[in-house]
Amino acid sequence: MVQKAKILLVDDRPENLLALEAILSALDQTLVRASSGEEALKALLTDDFAVILLDVQMPGMDGFETAAHIKRRERTRDIPIIFLTAINHGPHHTFRGYAAGAVDYISKPFDPWVLRAKVSVFVDLYMKNCQLREQAALLRLQLDGGQSVADAKEPVGLLAELSARLAAVEEQAEALSKQLDESADAAAVATAAHLERKLTGLRRALDALEPGAGSGAGAVSSQS
């Protein structure tokens, strides 16, 4: 059974963290607080996170610098980062956010529903990725034990279920992309591209695990 995903909330103002927790509590995931960039980097040393909500303007290490450290670490470089900012930013700030590795850049005050919807997509991607890794590990064990994929009735059934669940995420991501496109902002392009890359990678890895695809264990090992 897949555990709840962890979402990292980084902001130096306690009232902002409380507001984020109120907005995201409906997702029923584990919300982890960090009141500084240093505290966020410490949390990332030991825990895996589905997505990071990162305030831009913080004393000491700001959001841009924190994101740069996150993207330099192999363990954390692929975690999606959503920047939150109260600054009246122009194209320069937006470009700097994407250059730092963010998948989205949202100005405060923001629409709670939109933020929750965006975070939900990244949580779903994370959960499906975890399920896929677990399924790949199970198939590797059976293949190492001499059982063919064709004979592995239960795993194949689970693959079919996982494929259906991934299809649901693909549909949800497509709907969100259309919604974001309507806003016509730069964040829509970056978010849609990130989701497309993630979903394409998951779908290819899942297809490689299907009976008759590739060379069995070799196809399974291609999952990152």
Side-chain angles (χ1 to χ4, degrees), residues 12-32:
D12 62 297
R13 299 174 67 90
E15 62 270 27
N16 290 342
L17 292 172
L18 277 173
L20 288 174
E21 288 174 340
I23 293 170
L24 301 176
S25 60
L27 299 180
D28 192 28
Q29 304 300 326
T30 302
L31 306 178
V32 178

Side-chain angles (χ1 to χ4, degrees), residues 35-106:
S35 59
S36 66
E38 291 85 355
E39 190 175 335
L41 294 176
K42 184 177 180 180
L44 288 163
L45 287 174
T46 54
D47 289 329
D48 294 323
F49 291 91
V51 61
I52 302 169
L53 274 63
L54 181 58
D55 183 40
V56 170
Q57 194 174 21
M58 296 186 294
M61 184 185 296
D62 66 12
F64 295 130
E65 187 178 353
T66 302
H69 282 290
I70 292 171
K71 292 303 178 181
R72 279 199 291 266
R73 294 178 178 176
E74 184 175 357
R75 173 187 171 89
T76 58
R77 64 179 55 167
D78 293 326
I79 302 177
I81 298 174
I82 297 177
F83 272 133
L84 304 176
T85 178
I87 303 173
N88 183 16
H89 65 278
H92 171 72
H93 274 283
T94 303
F95 174 78
R96 190 178 176 192
Y98 292 132
V103 298
D104 214 338
Y105 197 105
I106 303 176

